Amino acid sequence: MNNQVDYQLELDQIRHALGYDFMSLALADPAEYDYVIRWKYASGNLNSRYKRIVLQSGRGIAGIVFKTGKPFLLCAVQEQVKQEMLFNYPIVNSEKLKSIGAVPLWNDARVAGVLLGGFRGDRQVNETMLRELQNTARQGIGDLNGKELLLS
């Protein structure tokens, strides 16, 4: 009996349920001094370049969400991010995203990952959609329980 968590299947289901063009899950790998964050799973992706993106805590979308534990919203990438600053968001470039929302994925009162949803066309992620994404993350994904606060 294989009890391995199928993050890919879950991510595909969430993307279809919420209607995003692209969805990705970044998870933290403990590194020597800090955490290294990698996009481990993607649904609706154009290519597999997301797998080569490695971020430090506080860098890139996943790094910022991971460090702050707060949601991140870019309704209109072209209007909100200067062209010369786009290199700070490699997932946006590699997946040609025009609008994104990302939320922390909690596990036992610490941020263990980041769930990102994005659009390539004219649709824009808004506050309501970001809350839906947050509510989804709070349900937990795979073996991450989504619990932000643990009461003893």
Side-chain angles (χ1 to χ4, degrees):
M1 179 86 177
N2 185 356
N3 66 351
Q4 186 161 5
V5 177
D6 193 344
Y7 282 103
Q8 188 63 55
L9 178 66
E10 236 178 296
L11 194 62
D12 289 340
Q13 290 169 341
I14 293 167
R15 182 173 74 87
H16 289 294
L18 297 180
Y20 284 94
D21 293 338
F22 173 79
M23 191 157 259
S24 191
L25 180 62
L27 299 172
D29 293 331
E32 197 171 337
Y33 298 108
D34 210 348
Y35 284 96
V36 174
I37 301 132
R38 296 173 191 268
W39 296 106
K40 298 274 192 182
Y41 302 93
S43 178
N45 46 307
L46 298 174
N47 53 57
S48 58
R49 273 186 274 179
Y50 71 90
K51 291 179 180 174
R52 294 199 297 267
I53 299 171
V54 179
L55 301 161
Q56 306 299 318
S57 181
R59 300 272 182 191
I61 295 158
I64 292 165
V65 173
F66 186 82
K67 186 175 183 177
T68 63
K70 295 194 175 4
F72 183 93
L73 179 62
L74 271 179
C75 305
V77 172
Q78 264 100 11
E79 293 164 28
Q80 292 175 275
V81 181
K82 291 189 176 91
Q83 191 65 40
E84 65 271 16
M85 298 309 284
L86 272 177
F87 71 90
N88 287 316
Y89 309 110
I91 195 84
V92 170
N93 285 331
S94 69
E95 288 297 328
K96 299 180 177 21
L97 300 174
K98 293 183 176 168
S99 181
I100 51 163
V103 296
L105 187 55
W106 293 84
N107 190 51
D108 294 342
R110 63 178 263 279
V111 179
V114 175
L115 182 63
L116 176 141
F119 294 111
R120 294 188 185 94
D122 294 333
R123 276 192 79 191
Q124 291 190 338
V125 183
N126 57 36
E127 292 287 342
T128 305
M129 295 166 94
L130 195 65
R131 274 194 298 279
E132 280 179 338
L133 207 56
Q134 266 185 297
N135 291 338
T136 301
R138 283 196 188 106
Q139 307 298 310
I141 295 176
D143 53 10
L144 302 176
N145 62 26
K147 302 286 183 279
E148 188 172 340
L149 298 171
L150 283 186
L151 304 173
S152 47

